[in-house]
Amino acid sequence: MKPIVCVQQVSKRYSKNANAHLGYGVADLYRAIFGSKEEWPLRKDEFLALSNISLYLNPGDSLALIGRNGSGKTTLLKAMNGLIKPDAGVITVEGRVQALINLGAGFNPALSGKDNVFNSASLMGYSRKETQAILEEIIDFAELEEFIDSPVGTYSSGMKARLGFSVAINLNPDILLIDEILSVGDQAFRNKCFVRLHQLKKAGVTFVLVSHSPTHVIQLCEKALWLHKGKMMKLGPAKETVQAYTDFLDTIEAEKVRELNILREDTARSHEKRSIEEAARKESGESLYGPIYDEQDRIKDLSVRLSVDNEETHTVRVHDELCIDYTFTLIGKVTDLNVTLSFYTEDGLRMSVLSTLNGDLLKHIHQGEVRCSVRIPDFNLAPGTYVLVMPIHEGKSYLYRDIVKKFVVRGGGEMSWGLTDFQYEYHVGETGNATKPVNSPG
């Protein structure tokens, strides 16, 4: 089977200097016109947005491009669409291409939605009669019946997204290039886009999708290419590639969290007075997790340790047994001591609370050192970065309340969605009402 898209050793360079970029482009164009075969090294302010990228797609293939911002995903998509010329390598595309890279790009804001439909269709070789035959279908899918005669310049971004997507999918493309379009528009329209993309996929349309959503990638694409700083990190089945990419992100985040926890502990031990900047940071950022009281004038020598298998850690796998050990010393006497462990997502959603109020576990302690250990046999929060906040209070008054740890939860080899990851066992009915277990993670 002949590939419909073939990318061979493609590289693309850009300059970090906006003023120099145009001059470099003219010089490179001159070299290309006069047939210079010499490979020039990168200039001092240049970088490779794409470096030696090779892949091919057969008719009906679906590929996701994943990676961090600035990794080269959109650059590769634009190169496939012919919007930019690679500095090295060759891209061959066979068939009719529709690109959804910048929604609304190519639309004339002074013309009505209907006129823009005719313009877009004519660029794909459609006659006015052929466009008229599919016009109602385009308008109906875009849900713009009331506004199709209004200038596109008056449309919201969501309306432009609907019109752009509807035009693209109804012009019978052989290849569809999509850049984050599924993050635009309301939920109902996004669902409709998913359904139509699945229909196009079954009809044999080849598409390349740029997305930051693991769910979109796995649901829509068989293959995925992970790019990092312009280089190919992994090309393979979508689920395996997404898992490798998320593991990479977890590793980076875990290192950041480890360094942050060390800094937090060093600062707490030094008892240095906070700067204005630090105070502002706590006020703006850590207030996501509630009020902060960290003066340590009522307690001292606070230490909190997270461990798995008796080893201190800043990274936990889903369904690990997590132990939390903490100690502190009371300054003065108390009569109604309680300690709470509150787990938050990094963006401030409280996920769970463990409190000594359940059972009045610390009522007998009135002074001196407090030493406790908490064991969570099945830590089932979904992968992500979490914050542990520790309020220590006497009755309704805080003795202390602050973030004591940040930590990362990593997947246990299976993809996870949602906020928690239940342990479960599937049974699938068979003839005679028999059942068999299908999956039992954890």
Side-chain angles (χ1 to χ4, degrees), residues 131-340:
T131 306
Q132 192 68 49
I134 60 173
L135 180 61
E136 287 305 315
E137 188 175 354
I138 291 173
I139 297 172
D140 181 62
F141 187 91
E143 301 173 3
L144 292 172
E145 293 88 349
E146 295 182 44
F147 305 99
I148 198 63
D149 292 315
S150 301
V152 166
T154 65
Y155 286 11
S156 67
S157 61
M159 293 166 72
K160 291 176 184 176
R162 298 206 301 268
L163 184 60
F165 188 87
S166 185
V167 168
I169 63 174
N170 282 291
L171 293 181
N172 297 320
D174 300 308
I175 303 163
L176 195 57
L177 307 178
I178 310 169
D179 187 6
E180 285 292 345
I181 183 193
L182 297 176
S183 63
V184 180
D186 56 58
Q187 186 62 47
F189 182 73
R190 289 201 296 268
N191 290 339
K192 190 158 67 168
C193 290
F194 270 113
V195 172
R196 183 56 65 91
L197 285 175
H198 279 294
Q199 292 171 346
L200 293 172
K201 186 175 174 181
K202 290 180 180 178
V205 174
T206 300
F207 62 83
V208 182
L209 168 71
V210 172
S211 179
H212 288 283
S213 167
T215 303
H216 293 171
V217 170
I218 293 172
Q219 287 181 346
L220 288 171
C221 300
E222 273 80 39
K223 296 191 290 186
L225 169 60
W226 166 24
L227 293 172
H228 182 64
K229 295 182 178 180
K231 297 180 180 180
M232 293 178 63
M233 301 296 288
K234 185 177 178 65
L235 173 63
K239 183 177 178 181
E240 294 177 12
T241 306
V242 167
Q243 186 66 62
Y245 173 54
T246 54
D247 286 346
F248 169 77
L249 294 180
D250 288 344
T251 300
I252 293 176
E253 187 64 23
E255 181 59 24
K256 289 181 181 178
V257 165
R258 186 188 70 81
E259 293 175 357
L260 181 62
N261 284 334
I262 292 172
L263 179 62
R264 187 184 301 279
E265 291 165 3
D266 289 345
T267 301
R269 279 194 294 268
S270 67
H271 297 291
E272 291 178 354
K273 202 158 190 172
R274 291 202 309 256
S275 67
I276 294 175
E277 292 82 1
E278 174 69 6
R281 183 185 67 81
K282 290 206 167 192
E283 180 65 26
S284 61
E286 297 182 359
S287 60
L288 280 172
Y289 319 113
I292 299 299
Y293 184 83
D294 64 348
E295 298 304 322
Q296 294 201 25
D297 56 349
R298 308 287 299 277
I299 67 162
K300 65 179 182 178
D301 302 329
L302 174 65
S303 173
V304 180
R305 180 177 185 268
L306 306 184
S307 62
V308 175
D309 296 331
N310 294 320
E311 291 191 7
E312 186 169 7
T313 186
H314 305 284
T315 304
V316 182
R317 289 198 174 274
V318 178
H319 303 301
D320 270 350
E321 178 177 288
L322 176 65
C323 291
I324 305 172
D325 299 290
Y326 64 83
T327 63
F328 61 88
T329 301
L330 293 165
I331 299 175
K333 291 185 177 181
V334 299
T335 58
D336 187 12
L337 179 65
N338 288 292
V339 174
T340 301

Side-chain angles (χ1 to χ4, degrees), residues 276-423:
I276 294 175
E277 292 82 1
E278 174 69 6
R281 183 185 67 81
K282 290 206 167 192
E283 180 65 26
S284 61
E286 297 182 359
S287 60
L288 280 172
Y289 319 113
I292 299 299
Y293 184 83
D294 64 348
E295 298 304 322
Q296 294 201 25
D297 56 349
R298 308 287 299 277
I299 67 162
K300 65 179 182 178
D301 302 329
L302 174 65
S303 173
V304 180
R305 180 177 185 268
L306 306 184
S307 62
V308 175
D309 296 331
N310 294 320
E311 291 191 7
E312 186 169 7
T313 186
H314 305 284
T315 304
V316 182
R317 289 198 174 274
V318 178
H319 303 301
D320 270 350
E321 178 177 288
L322 176 65
C323 291
I324 305 172
D325 299 290
Y326 64 83
T327 63
F328 61 88
T329 301
L330 293 165
I331 299 175
K333 291 185 177 181
V334 299
T335 58
D336 187 12
L337 179 65
N338 288 292
V339 174
T340 301
L341 299 174
S342 298
F343 297 86
Y344 290 84
T345 60
E346 196 173 25
D347 58 2
L349 177 64
R350 186 163 62 183
M351 298 298 298
S352 187
V353 174
L354 307 177
S355 176
T356 59
L357 285 169
N358 291 322
D360 291 335
L361 300 177
L362 301 181
K363 294 289 187 180
H364 63 289
I365 298 178
H366 302 294
Q367 60 184 347
E369 184 182 58
V370 179
R371 182 181 298 271
C372 294
S373 181
V374 181
R375 184 177 69 91
I376 305 174
D378 176 20
F379 197 80
N380 69 347
L381 293 184
T385 302
Y386 294 88
V387 172
L388 178 61
V389 176
M390 185 174 182
I392 303 172
H393 38 101
E394 179 184 13
K396 297 182 178 180
S397 299
Y398 287 128
L399 305 179
Y400 177 89
R401 191 186 192 280
D402 199 4
I403 295 173
V404 291
K405 289 289 180 183
K406 279 192 175 183
F407 62 98
V408 174
V409 178
R410 303 182 69 168
E414 298 286 337
M415 295 301 296
S416 298
W417 293 273
L419 299 176
T420 61
D421 190 82
F422 298 142
Q423 288 197 16

